[in-house]
Amino acid sequence: MKNKNYYAILMAGGVGSRFWPVSTQDFPKQFHDMLGTGDTLIQKTFNRLAQLIPEENIFILTNERYNDLVFEQLPNVTKRQVVLEPAMRNTAPCILYAALKIQKENKDAVMIVAPSDHWIEDEHTFTNNVKTAFDHCASNDALMTLGITPTFPNTGYGYIEYDKSTTQDIKPVNQFREKPDYETAKSFISQGNFLWNAGIFMWSATSVIAAFKRNQPELFQLFNSGYDVYNTELEDNFIRDNYEKAENISVDYALMEKSDNVYVIPANFDWNDLGTWGSLYDKLEKDDANNAVVNAKTLLEDTNGNMIRSKKDKVVVIDGLKDYIVVDKDEVLLIFPKAKEQDIKKVLQNVKATFGEEYG
């Protein structure tokens, strides 16, 4: 029997523009089967969380434009579980809103906040790490996160510096560090007490709401003023009238960097945030020439190191291409150097400006 005090907030409101042209504003990456496994990213995340958390306690937090997609892909969830943002306001406002709703339903709730688009291979170890955090949060006023042991000096992630002196599995956090340059990332790794920030958080509803009250009094006051109508038929009207007033701020800035009761567990599972075509390429199986292929039937000659994706069973013929992203989707074909993948966001803006918003 799963613990009825265990809850999850599954974050599914992002656009994932670096995965264009597959991920678009109307149909973002979390609703796609990016890995070619038969499950979309949000389905994989929901099923992973459901190994520990009662399914009815998994809340999906998303933008209201994705409401229908959520119910299509997770047909067993109820309206109660889908928390809709009427405006984009980063992670702090929506997490506070969901935490207040959950606390009103269950004052003993402990919860995980998890992105919907991460790749985690060892789900058993992930579940054990979360259980350890829940046990700690149930009896301590703690804001916790999972940190990933760095495997190379990545400049695309923020870092968590923890207290070296402790030998416990749960380690006090000294500070959060911004995405570094390459030399700084190398120095972080050499010090041995830096972890990648995976954006996965655990806490009790009571602790996180108290932290908002301390560190973000205006934001707390805005959402707490609707406490009486949460989980009632009047909630939607309150949120529609008030959500846009919230500051556009991440939970990292709003709480984690300002609080002195922050702890991290160095995670024991392989992880990838699947933020770009290159990160997807890293996690997929490759052929003998290091090409990663999703869905396509390929005929490749003198072609290596490419990320290739098409519609199911489309025949793709390539000769003489190296280290490129090749993505065919409906009316858009992207052929782009892997080394420049961070520019895809900029390319998308140019495409929309030139050909119209419907292409993004």
Side-chain angles (χ1 to χ4, degrees):
M1 180 76 94
K2 293 172 187 171
N3 191 321
K4 64 180 175 51
N5 294 334
Y6 289 178
Y7 284 75
I9 299 173
L10 196 165
M11 308 288 284
V15 176
S17 53
R18 288 189 178 88
F19 271 114
W20 182 80
V22 168
S23 181
T24 64
Q25 202 153 24
D26 289 332
F27 206 121
K29 65 174 177 175
Q30 59 268 30
F31 300 106
H32 289 277
D33 177 9
M34 298 301 298
L35 295 153
T37 63
D39 285 325
T40 65
L41 294 178
I42 193 172
Q43 288 169 335
K44 287 185 76 67
T45 305
F46 187 95
N47 293 336
R48 183 187 310 130
L49 294 170
Q51 293 177 29
L52 179 66
I53 295 159
E55 286 195 12
E56 64 272 17
N57 287 356
I58 301 175
F59 285 68
I60 295 88
L61 222 160
T62 191
N63 190 275
E64 60 183 14
R65 71 163 62 187
Y66 307 136
N67 182 60
D68 291 346
L69 282 171
V70 169
F71 285 112
E72 282 171 25
Q73 298 200 2
L74 302 173
N76 293 331
V77 305
T78 63
K79 186 175 184 297
R80 160 187 158 274
Q81 291 169 258
V82 181
V83 182
L84 299 176
E85 308 164 82
M88 295 283 201
R89 283 296 181 273
N90 216 313
T91 53
C94 57
I95 288 171
L96 173 57
Y97 169 33
L100 286 163
K101 281 174 59 66
I102 289 169
Q103 187 201 45
K104 187 175 181 184
E105 178 176 295
N106 182 348
K107 64 180 176 55
D108 297 320
V110 291
M111 68 186 75
I112 178 172
V113 176
S116 59
D117 51 6
H118 287 184
W119 177 93
I120 292 171
E121 184 165 301
D122 186 351
E123 296 189 343
H124 177 72
T125 300
F126 167 81
T127 299
N128 287 341
N129 284 164
V130 175
K131 175 73 165 57
T132 298
F134 276 0
D135 288 346
H136 187 78
C137 292
S139 53
N140 295 276
D141 180 19
L143 307 178
M144 297 194 65
T145 185
L146 294 179
I148 309 300
T149 302
T151 51
F152 67 99
N154 194 315
T155 60
Y157 299 143
Y159 284 70
I160 301 166
E161 180 186 350
Y162 65 82
D163 184 349
K164 266 185 179 175
S165 64
T166 181
T167 57
Q168 303 298 313
D169 291 340
I170 295 172
K171 303 180 185 300
V173 170
N174 288 344
Q175 59 180 324
F176 289 82
R177 304 292 287 267
E178 296 292 324
K179 294 174 183 176
D181 59 31
Y182 184 73
E183 290 304 318
T184 306
K186 279 187 5 187
S187 80
F188 286 172
I189 290 177
S190 69
Q191 291 175 59
N193 63 324
F194 282 79
L195 304 166
W196 288 336
N197 184 358
I200 301 171
F201 307 104
M202 291 80 48
W203 39 53
S204 68
T206 300
S207 287
V208 72
I209 291 167
F212 271 111
K213 189 174 183 178
R214 272 195 311 273
N215 297 298
Q216 300 295 329
E218 287 185 20
L219 197 64
F220 170 79
Q221 184 54 44
L222 175 65
F223 283 97
N224 193 58
S225 66
Y227 194 82
D228 288 344
V229 302
Y230 291 155
N231 307 335
T232 76
E233 60 189 18
L234 299 175
E235 178 181 333
D236 288 350
N237 288 337
F238 172 82
I239 289 300
R240 193 163 299 284
D241 290 344
N242 289 280
Y243 200 89
E244 288 190 8
K245 300 173 187 174
E247 184 181 356
N248 187 13
I249 185 171
S250 74
V251 76
D252 296 80
Y253 286 122
L255 293 191
M256 304 304 280
E257 295 182 11
K258 291 181 166 62
S259 301
D260 56 10
N261 58 333
V262 180
Y263 299 84
V264 64
I265 296 177
N268 299 317
F269 51 82
D270 286 338
W271 167 89
N272 191 301
D273 76 339
L274 294 185
T276 64
W277 286 112
S279 64
L280 179 62
Y281 170 85
D282 290 341
K283 285 303 166 194
L284 291 169
E285 288 187 17
K286 319 290 192 298
D287 64 16
D288 292 342
N290 282 322
N291 298 297
V293 179
V294 177
N295 295 337
K297 292 179 176 178
T298 56
L299 194 60
L300 308 176
E301 189 72 34
D302 188 26
T303 290
N304 53 76
N306 298 292
M307 172 70 235
I308 302 165
R309 190 186 196 278
S310 72
K311 286 186 173 180
K312 187 76 173 167
D313 294 332
K314 184 161 190 173
V315 174
V316 176
V317 181
I318 302 176
D319 191 340
L321 198 64
K322 180 179 180 182
D323 294 333
Y324 266 70
I325 299 161
V326 180
V327 181
D328 181 56
K329 170 142 189 303
D330 301 331
E331 67 279 6
V332 177
L333 172 64
L334 176 75
I335 304 171
F336 207 76
K338 271 194 336 203
K340 295 175 66 178
E341 66 171 4
Q342 295 296 336
D343 293 340
I344 288 177
K345 235 179 173 177
K346 198 186 308 176
V347 169
L348 170 58
Q349 298 309 314
N350 291 339
V351 167
K352 289 198 288 188
T354 305
F355 301 110
E357 288 289 327
E358 65 270 24
Y359 290 95

